[in-house]
Amino acid sequence: EPEVTQTPSHQVTQMGQEVILRCVPISNHLYFYWYRQILGQKVEFLVSFYNNEISEKSEIFDDQFSVERPDGSNFTLKIRSTKLEDSAMYFCASSEISETTLGYGYTFGSGTRLTVV
Amino acid sequence: GEDVEQSLFLSVREGDSSVINCTYTDSSSTYLYWYKQEPGAGLQLLTYIFSNMDMKQDQRLTVLLNKKDKHLSLRIADTQTGDSAIYFCAERVPDSWGKLQFGAGTQVVVTP
């Protein structure tokens, strides 16, 4: 079964450093997403991306965050200057294009646990 | 705004049925989902239901939707130890680019 792959599985970084979280979505999917889950809290939407641009973003997704699809396969989330409160599990997801198949759900990766120290 | 609420914990004996409940606030939600998260793993889509359906059955899983009360439930028949996980209810936010609003998750513990 096709998978969304995320690397690394765990990243430790010092406060103020830049991090890039990487994702390889399913190859025929065209919508891409990042979500995060702070320990013990809800899974929260960060951003959606389609046709090489951001479709929607949440209030969490401020100027410190950016997303990119640098080539035909990778989808990255960059945090420019990490803060302690950015520590969370970050999930990438992808879905198919049509209105009908969007309802069939989104395939999530296993997540990257980001720890900011 | 959208909000999804779930009870936090459910303990069930192996072989019994589990019922996980969820309420949501946006009556115009079109799709509702159940995801499963095992320790250290990602979010696995279990099933979904479209808002014009009352019930959906998929092997051991039964989803019931009460649109009037904005209540969604997931029933797992013959619960097994491998069903121990956190179960998330989620709604697709209307008029969004596929944004999902998640509940806090229900931790299901299956005891022998």
Side-chain angles (χ1 to χ4, degrees):
Chain A
E1 188 159 330
E3 287 185 341
V4 173
T5 306
Q6 289 187 243
T7 54
S9 56
H10 191 189
Q11 172 123 24
V12 182
T13 188
Q14 287 204 322
M15 196 166 56
Q17 295 295 304
E18 174 184 286
V19 293
I20 297 176
L21 309 181
R22 300 180 194 281
C23 170
V24 179
I26 293 173
S27 60
N28 66 336
H29 285 186
L30 294 175
Y31 286 98
F32 313 114
Y33 311 87
W34 283 100
Y35 286 78
R36 79 171 185 191
Q37 185 183 26
I38 294 172
L39 190 63
Q41 297 187 24
K42 290 187 180 187
V43 177
E44 302 171 290
F45 169 80
L46 291 178
V47 66
S48 59
F49 189 87
Y50 170 69
N51 202 24
N52 282 319
E53 59 183 28
I54 290 173
S55 310
E56 188 174 358
K57 60 184 180 179
S58 71
E59 291 172 357
I60 303 165
F61 195 88
D62 61 21
D63 292 344
Q64 293 299 310
F65 291 87
S66 62
V67 288
E68 197 179 28
R69 190 151 161 83
D71 52 41
S73 59
N74 289 284
F75 179 52
T76 62
L77 174 70
K78 184 195 291 186
I79 310 175
R80 257 179 276 283
S81 176
T82 49
K83 303 190 277 286
L84 294 175
E85 54 265 38
D86 294 327
S87 295
M89 181 76 92
Y90 287 81
F91 292 106
C92 174
S94 67
S95 65
E96 293 182 69
I97 184 172
S98 72
E99 177 67 23
T100 306
T101 53
L102 272 178
Y104 296 168
Y106 312 72
T107 304
F108 282 82
S110 298
T112 293
R113 181 164 296 285
L114 177 66
T115 303
V116 183
V117 296
Chain B
E2 312 86 22
D3 199 13
V4 178
E5 298 290 338
Q6 299 177 240
S7 52
L8 294 182
F9 186 79
L10 176 68
S11 179
V12 62
R13 282 171 51 170
E14 193 174 8
D16 288 352
S17 291
S18 314
V19 179
I20 308 166
N21 294 301
C22 170
T23 57
Y24 60 97
T25 53
D26 198 321
S27 57
S28 57
S29 291
T30 51
Y31 289 98
L32 296 137
Y33 306 88
W34 284 102
Y35 281 86
K36 177 183 180 183
Q37 185 181 35
E38 296 182 59
L43 298 165
Q44 175 197 353
L45 177 66
L46 285 179
T47 188
Y48 67 94
I49 190 166
F50 187 51
S51 59
N52 68 354
M53 299 165 70
D54 298 323
M55 185 183 89
K56 182 179 178 184
Q57 186 147 6
D58 184 1
Q59 299 181 330
R60 292 191 297 124
L61 304 179
T62 303
V63 180
L64 294 178
L65 175 61
N66 181 327
K67 224 182 153 190
K68 176 174 161 289
D69 294 338
K70 290 180 240 174
H71 182 265
L72 182 74
S73 67
L74 174 69
R75 179 177 179 268
I76 306 172
D78 186 25
T79 312
Q80 304 297 307
T81 53
D83 295 324
S84 292
I86 300 176
Y87 291 80
F88 291 93
C89 170
E91 63 173 341
R92 184 181 162 200
V93 175
D95 302 321
S96 74
W97 283 84
K99 174 182 169 183
L100 297 182
Q101 179 77 27
F102 282 86
T106 299
Q107 173 138 27
V108 174
V109 174
V110 183
T111 55

